[in-house]
Amino acid sequence: MLWLSTMGKLPFILLTLALSTIATEAHAQSWLGEAGSLNASFGTTYAVSDTVVETEGLDIKGVPASHASFILGVDYVTPHDKLSVSASLPLMALKFDIDNSDVAVPHNPSLAVNDDGNFHFEAQDLRLMANYQLVGGDYYAIMGHLGGEIPTNNYPTVGFGAPGRGLKSALAGVSVLGLFEKWVPGLYATASYEFSYTEDNDRDPTLAKYNQDHSTAAVVLGYYVTDDIEINLGGNAVIYHGGLNFVEFGEVSQTERDYHDEVLNERVYLAGAGASYAVTESIGVNIFFRTFLGGQNTTNATLGGFGLSWSVL
């Protein structure tokens, strides 16, 4: 429920963090890597929340939920070294601690099938992407990407144990890298934005009217302490451009209340820190932490994560 659609954006968030490590060699001209290179990645996150954040400053406390994500990714730089193709798939373990919840949660038990107090494992949406470096100089680069997300199965879409909204999306975005070697050696910054053009929810006409398009943004400011060790500060945001608000529950149909998780007008803002370490020339690891700053129609999920990248070729 709620923040799970945001957690579905983690592949993009992790991509931004992974891109920061590419600056290790301080070569913005070849941000994507060498032509013909193949990279595999594995990322895991763990998130916990205990409060439902509504609109207009309203909170519902005592609603404990947690989930772990395991994200598998692969990226191939084509013989044209400015173009790469990538794929990633999140696998999720989700739990709503119903026995320790202090309030009644507005979910239809027949629909929220994963909200039984146990962990449930679900594959989420396959993400396919083409990335192209538009420009690059000694100290800057701009990369665009196009692609899509496709649900891998008919997973549950209602409840805290639902991994996502089950909708297909077309994606377009841009990432910018800046290296500040002239002023502070080792200092860099990245900023990324992605727009998701998402299909309407065709379950019912009362749901189809809600716009599901959303934006995802991420920024990272990092510093290389040594050639192999990097530290960073970062922030992330997910903003839906329409949807149902909790405060409207008294004005909508029973169908809209039952399936509100699929059409929520969600916003989430996160900030935190991270670090990366180049173990070898082909293996890198990173860790990060993000705390909840604010939002609406979501939960106050705070998360931490670990990532491993491997240059296969």
Side-chain angles (χ1 to χ4, degrees), residues 196-216:
S196 299
Y197 179 73
T198 304
E199 67 178 336
D200 292 335
N201 189 319
D202 62 2
R203 184 184 300 278
D204 188 87
T206 60
L207 303 176
K209 66 184 180 183
Y210 293 110
N211 182 9
Q212 295 291 290
D213 299 340
H214 52 281
S215 294
T216 308

Side-chain angles (χ1 to χ4, degrees), residues 6-18:
T6 299
M7 296 304 104
K9 300 289 108 177
L10 276 175
F12 177 69
I13 294 172
L14 291 172
L15 170 66
T16 303
L17 295 172

